[in-house]
Amino acid sequence: MAGTPDQAEPAPLDDVDRHIIAELTRDGRMSVTQVAQNVHISRAHAYTRIARLTSDGVLTKFTALVDPIKAGLKSSAYVTLKVSQHSWRELREELKAIPEVHHIALVGGDFDVILLVRAIDNTDLRRVIFDQLQSMPGVLDTQTFLVFEDVDTR
């Protein structure tokens, strides 16, 4: 997961790196040749930069953005968790194993963890929250916020 404290600090990013990241964020299927043209650098330079960004862990994976409704995931919710002290590492691994959990963040504030959960319907969402999340060792409390509309800004 991005942002975990056990990762090494990558090399500082310059404007070329940021431009490459912006291009690949906009279209992860873009060819290295097209990235090079858009960033105004040689193909070899683009390839080297992308390889370094990948090996440094700045670029972690190339993936597709999926419209959850069109993919049959008609119910979404943000679920907050209060967890017992020192349970985060084990809990993080258990949460990652739940297919309906699409995003996990350790946060500060009134709760400890926030999840984006996507399910096929409200019955399935209820199953994930009540049968899986609330029954996990270390989870002290949950709160659920239903998503009525998604707007992806990427």
Side-chain angles (χ1 to χ4, degrees):
M1 184 149 93
T4 55
D6 53 350
Q7 293 175 335
E9 190 69 30
L13 303 180
D14 62 15
D15 288 341
V16 172
D17 291 329
R18 286 192 225 12
H19 198 167
I20 290 170
I21 292 167
E23 291 296 320
L24 291 173
T25 300
R26 189 173 54 77
D27 181 358
R29 293 178 54 182
M30 186 179 296
S31 70
V32 174
T33 301
Q34 188 63 53
V35 170
Q37 288 174 354
N38 292 358
V39 179
H40 308 292
I41 59 176
S42 72
R43 183 186 176 286
H45 192 188
Y47 182 82
T48 301
R49 290 283 188 127
I50 292 168
R52 182 182 52 79
L53 290 167
T54 302
S55 69
D56 284 353
V58 175
L59 296 174
T60 58
K61 63 182 173 179
F62 296 85
T63 186
L65 290 177
V66 176
D67 181 311
I69 302 297
K70 291 180 180 176
L73 302 172
K74 296 182 174 117
S75 292
S76 295
Y78 285 98
V79 181
T80 63
L81 310 176
K82 288 185 182 179
V83 301
S84 60
Q85 193 171 19
H86 306 297
S87 65
W88 167 243
R89 283 183 175 73
E90 298 80 26
L91 190 61
R92 176 179 59 194
E93 296 309 310
E94 290 182 55
L95 293 169
K96 285 168 55 176
I98 300 173
E100 294 85 359
V101 174
H102 287 245
H103 185 82
I104 305 166
L106 179 65
V107 298
D110 292 336
F111 47 87
D112 305 303
V113 178
I114 188 164
L115 312 172
L116 173 58
V117 179
R118 296 195 187 276
I120 58 173
D121 57 23
N122 284 346
T123 302
D124 194 36
L125 184 62
R126 181 186 190 288
R127 176 193 57 77
V128 172
I129 294 167
F130 288 108
D131 297 347
Q132 291 185 275
L133 298 176
Q134 289 183 349
S135 67
M136 287 181 157
V139 173
L140 304 175
D141 187 35
T142 67
Q143 191 168 3
T144 302
F145 302 89
L146 291 176
V147 174
F148 296 119
E149 184 177 348
D150 264 323
V151 178
D152 197 322
T153 61
R154 294 177 280 166

